[in-house]
């Protein structure tokens, strides 16, 4: 563990006798000399040290603000170390060379550190091994002869639980920060869809970035002079402003522009052609297991989306996807290809959607090259065309998706397996048109875990797969019909209440779904928010029975989750951030396992939405 470093004592400089006598006289009279913190030239240089403006000014790997406990004011920092992340929060401050500074702050928790780096002399830190109540930490340092910026930080220790910090100050002479940039001009809207508005503005001299505001709330930061604000509600008016940012601060806001999103086509449930509330299930079409084989013609009409499980690659990196129907030796009651195709057409005639699902537990797919990407497009197209399918379900699991160490922005991914997958799906969407149905079934590790961790993290050491679906979902959100995260076979995940939630009840489904419908900062960065999805794009993924997967819940718990999310009743201890009566529905693994359990999952869905 880090330990506080003691600053080397410096010998007293020779001073005039009058000065020494004056100091002695002051001490004798009960007065004290002015400290450096009280000199007129000194100031508190820490920005938002009391965390009253959320995490403004701070970059945190796993931090948020809370209203209790606080040392003073209304809020304080809460950060939770986990895995290889020590929950560091830091900010860079402008300072003067060859100057003395005092860093202090109040902390609470086990193993809490406060320090400064980049001082140009000796970097310092101080720490509390145990602070059950608020405890002040203080350290001092002197900047080097050419140092103009230092980084102050706080962090915990691996696996020791959450810590709190408040009222952090850096006292000393301020550095040359310059002036904040001027407010941007020329803000205008571009293309407007039912869920997104494109914005552009004129560049501002001296700006290093721009902050974008929607209806008065900061929603993103960008380095260029254009962006697209997505995750919007159809037929809704929004106002937008932009500010320019540099090391000295943020400009005034630009003039306001407004835009009203387009109306989503009314086809009984959106452009997907789905009913307002849909039931989605996977059909074991290429294998048998303990649930038995179910013929396509025997799938009840309650199932609105039928995902054929699974199309799998010839090798992990080939991109060559094949769909092999279950052999007679394994599935004695399997229908012929002609019967299978006829049953698909009958389902489609009844308004159902039949998709090919790619991946699954055993189907690792890594599109590491453009050749693999192109092969993916051609081979998936061949499957869709042969069976006359309605679209594609992406069920990449295991090590199919992970992020390179330098890939830190979900809005601008550069890892080949991510970029190539997005490109491939967009190509398929363009080929088949607006009626193409696109769904995804990621695990919570690849989506909601991104609230705490994204890829390897800023200091490395994290699992590169953490949050790796987020750039795929974000890039395809305007093409996405349904996201149904697998709320099963999951570890505990932190929700937007900064509490961990575990499988086994309605609470887990409520918390995980609320994150998708509310949006969340990625890796704790309040300036890098994953925008919410529309409620009609979201279904909740659940196992159909105890045999189907870990995390099965009773029908009563399923209904509690639906009541909370769509009606704001039966919510228990988790407080949602909205009410979404347009939530699309439920997904289950699987149709076969539900049949094995006498259709309990389907019957409950029919009764609830009937």
């Amino acid at each position: 563990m880090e330990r506080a470093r003691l600053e080397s004592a410096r010998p007293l400089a020779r001073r005039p006798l009058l000065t020494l006598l004056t100091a002695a006289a002051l001490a004798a009279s009960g007065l004290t000399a002015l400290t450096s913190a009280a000199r007129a030239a000194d100031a508190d240089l820490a920005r938002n040290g009391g965390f009253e403006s959320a995490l403004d000014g701070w970059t945190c790997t796993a931090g948020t603000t809370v209203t209790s406990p606080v040392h003073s004011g209304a809020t304080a920092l809460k950060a939770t170390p986990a895995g290889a992340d020590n929950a560091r929060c830091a900010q860079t401050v402008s300072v003067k060379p060859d100057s003395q500074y005092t860093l202090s702050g109040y902390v609470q928790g086990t193993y809490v550190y406060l320090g400064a780096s980049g001082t140009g002399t000796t970097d310092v830190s101080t720490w509390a091994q145990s602070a059950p109540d608020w405890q002040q930490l203080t350290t001092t340092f002197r900047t080097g002869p050419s140092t103009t910026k230092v980084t102050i930080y706080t962090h915990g220790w691996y696996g020791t639980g959450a810590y709190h910090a408040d009222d952090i100050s850096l006292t000393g002479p301020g550095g040359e920060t310059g002036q904040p940039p001027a407010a941007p001009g020329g803000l205008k809207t571009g293309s407007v869809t039912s869920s997104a508005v494109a914005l552009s503005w004129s560049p501002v001299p001296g700006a290093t970035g721009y902050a974008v505001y929607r209806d008065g709330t900061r929603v993103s930061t960008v380095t260029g002079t254009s962006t697209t604000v997505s995750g919007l509600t159809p037929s809704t008016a929004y106002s937008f402003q932009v500010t320019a940012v540099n090391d000295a601060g943020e400009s005034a806001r630009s003039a306001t522009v407004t835009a009203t999103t387009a109306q989503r086509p009314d086809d009984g449930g959106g452009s997907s052609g789905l009913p307002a509330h849909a039931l989605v299930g996977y059909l074991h079409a290429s294998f048998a297991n303990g649930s038995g084989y179910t013929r396509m013609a025997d799938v009840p009409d309650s199932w609105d989306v039928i995902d054929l499980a699974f199309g799998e690659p010839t090798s992990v990196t080939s991109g060559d996807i094949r769909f092999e129907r279950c052999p007679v030796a394994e599935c004695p009651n399997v229908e012929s290809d002609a019967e299978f195709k006829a049953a698909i057409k009958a389902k489609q005639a009844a308004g159902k959607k039949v998709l090919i699902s790619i991946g699954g537990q055993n189907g690792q797919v890594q599109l590491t090259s453009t050749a693999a990407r192109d092969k993916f497009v051609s081979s998936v197209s061949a499957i869709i065309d042969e069976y006359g399918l309605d679209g594609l379900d992406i069920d990449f699991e295991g090590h199919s998706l992970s992020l390179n160490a330098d890939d830190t922005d979900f809005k601008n991914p550069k890892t080949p397996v991510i970029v190539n997958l997005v490109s491939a799906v967009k190509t398929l969407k363009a080929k088949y048109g607006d009626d193409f149905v696109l769904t995804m079934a990621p695990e919570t590790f690849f989506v909601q875990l991104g609230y705490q961790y994204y890829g390897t993290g800023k200091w490395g050491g994290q699992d590169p797969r953490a949050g790796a679906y987020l750039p795929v979902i974000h890039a395809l959100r305007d093409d996405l019909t349904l996201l149904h995260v697998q709320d099963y076979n999951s570890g505990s995940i932190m929700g937007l209440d900064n509490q961990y939630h575990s499988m086994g009840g309605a609470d887990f489904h409520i918390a995980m779904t609320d994150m998708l419908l509310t949006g969340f900062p990625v890796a704790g960065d309040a300036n890098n928010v994953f925008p919410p999805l529309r409620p009609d794009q979201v279904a909740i993924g659940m196992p159909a029975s105890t045999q189907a997967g870990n995390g099965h819940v009773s029908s009563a718990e399923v209904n509690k989750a639906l009541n909370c999310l769509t009606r704001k009743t039966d919510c228990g201890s988790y407080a949602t951030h909205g009410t979404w009566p347009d939530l699309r529905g439920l997904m289950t693994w699987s149709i076969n396992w539900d049949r094995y359990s006498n259709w309990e999952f389907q019957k409950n869905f029919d009764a609830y939405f009937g």
Side-chain angles (χ1 to χ4, degrees), residues 264-276 353 434-435 481 534 536 584:
R264 189 168 59 243
D266 183 10
D267 57 3
S271 59
S272 64
L274 296 176
K353 306 296 182 182
D434 292 340
D435 292 334
T481 308
R534 303 190 315 266
D536 66 277
R584 183 64 78 175

Side-chain angles (χ1 to χ4, degrees), residues 320-385:
D320 188 5
I321 307 300
R322 305 295 176 88
F323 173 58
E324 305 291 342
R325 304 216 32 251
C326 191
V328 175
E330 189 176 350
C331 303
N333 60 323
V334 65
E335 67 270 61
S336 68
D337 279 354
E339 291 171 326
F340 185 70
K341 292 175 181 177
I344 290 174
K345 288 184 177 180
K347 293 295 180 188
Q348 292 168 329
K352 313 304 177 184
K353 306 296 182 182
V354 184
L355 316 180
I356 179 65
S357 179
I358 307 298
Q361 178 178 335
N362 299 325
Q364 304 293 296
V365 182
Q366 297 175 3
L367 303 183
T368 56
S369 65
T370 55
R373 175 200 65 192
D374 295 343
K375 189 63 178 177
F376 182 89
V377 171
S378 62
S379 59
V380 171
S381 295
I383 297 169
I384 291 173
D385 293 343

Side-chain angles (χ1 to χ4, degrees), residues 362-419:
N362 299 325
Q364 304 293 296
V365 182
Q366 297 175 3
L367 303 183
T368 56
S369 65
T370 55
R373 175 200 65 192
D374 295 343
K375 189 63 178 177
F376 182 89
V377 171
S378 62
S379 59
V380 171
S381 295
I383 297 169
I384 291 173
D385 293 343
E386 179 178 358
Y387 293 95
L389 304 179
D390 296 289
L392 169 68
D393 173 69
I394 302 173
D395 185 12
F396 284 16
E397 300 181 16
H399 290 271
S400 291
L401 295 181
S402 64
L403 295 159
N404 290 350
D406 63 345
D407 198 343
T408 59
D409 182 4
F410 77 91
K411 297 175 183 176
N412 298 285
K414 49 188 175 181
T415 304
V417 295
I418 304 292
V419 174

Side-chain angles (χ1 to χ4, degrees), residues 273-275 283 294-308 335 339-355 387-390 591 599 602:
L274 296 176
L283 184 68
T294 300
R295 295 162 65 99
M296 175 64 73
D298 295 334
V299 176
D301 287 342
S302 296
W303 299 91
D304 301 295
V305 180
I306 303 168
D307 292 321
L308 304 180
E335 67 270 61
E339 291 171 326
F340 185 70
K341 292 175 181 177
I344 290 174
K345 288 184 177 180
K347 293 295 180 188
Q348 292 168 329
K352 313 304 177 184
K353 306 296 182 182
V354 184
L355 316 180
Y387 293 95
L389 304 179
D390 296 289
I591 294 173
W599 304 113
Q602 171 209 301

Side-chain angles (χ1 to χ4, degrees), residues 493-551:
I493 303 291
M494 181 179 285
L496 295 180
D497 58 353
N498 294 313
Q499 303 298 314
Y500 284 96
H501 299 268
S502 301
M503 299 182 300
D507 172 82
F508 188 69
H509 298 295
I510 294 167
M512 294 302 99
T513 307
D514 180 64
M515 296 179 77
L516 302 177
L517 297 172
T518 303
F520 53 88
V522 176
D525 186 350
N527 295 320
N528 193 30
V529 175
F530 177 79
L533 292 166
R534 303 190 315 266
D536 66 277
Q537 289 180 297
V538 176
I540 310 173
M542 302 177 172
S545 66
T546 55
Q547 300 94 332
N550 295 323

Side-chain angles (χ1 to χ4, degrees), residues 9-250:
R10 293 188 302 276
L12 287 172
R14 292 183 181 272
R15 289 179 287 177
L17 178 60
L18 178 60
T19 302
L20 294 174
L21 291 174
T22 302
L26 285 169
S29 66
L31 299 174
T32 58
L34 289 174
T35 66
S36 62
R39 292 196 304 266
D42 289 353
D44 182 2
L45 307 179
R47 177 179 172 183
N48 188 30
F51 300 97
E52 299 302 312
S53 299
L55 297 180
D56 181 42
W58 296 90
T59 299
C60 300
T61 61
T64 187
T65 52
V66 294
T67 57
S68 179
V70 299
H71 177 257
S72 70
T75 56
L77 170 70
K78 178 181 179 182
T80 306
D85 178 24
N86 61 11
R88 173 181 164 120
C89 282
Q91 69 170 265
T92 299
V93 182
S94 294
V95 294
K96 283 188 174 181
D98 196 26
S99 300
Q100 190 72 16
Y101 292 88
T102 299
L103 174 65
S104 68
Y106 289 84
V107 299
Q108 187 179 117
T110 302
Y111 289 115
V112 193
Y113 292 77
L114 178 68
S117 60
T119 63
T121 55
T122 300
D123 291 350
V124 296
S125 70
T126 181
W127 62 294
Q129 179 175 347
S130 178
D133 297 314
W134 288 107
Q135 175 178 327
Q136 187 177 28
L137 297 177
T138 302
T139 186
T140 62
F141 62 89
R142 192 170 189 84
T143 53
S146 60
T147 302
T148 58
K149 294 182 183 298
V150 298
T151 298
I152 60 175
Y153 63 84
T154 182
H155 67 73
W157 196 252
Y158 309 101
T160 57
Y163 72 87
H164 296 81
D166 202 0
D167 296 330
I168 295 174
S169 67
L170 178 67
T171 306
E176 298 296 330
T177 59
Q179 295 294 323
L187 178 63
K188 60 183 179 180
T189 60
S191 63
V192 178
T193 69
S194 61
S195 62
V197 174
L199 301 171
S200 64
W201 54 92
S202 301
V204 177
T208 58
Y210 300 90
V212 180
Y213 289 81
R214 182 191 69 208
D215 294 336
T217 300
R218 186 170 175 168
V219 293
S220 66
T221 56
V222 296
T223 56
T225 56
S226 64
T227 190
T228 297
V229 181
S230 56
L232 306 179
T233 301
S235 304
T236 303
Y238 293 94
S239 65
F240 302 95
Q241 293 170 294
V242 178
T243 62
V245 180
N246 64 13
D247 288 344
E250 187 174 357

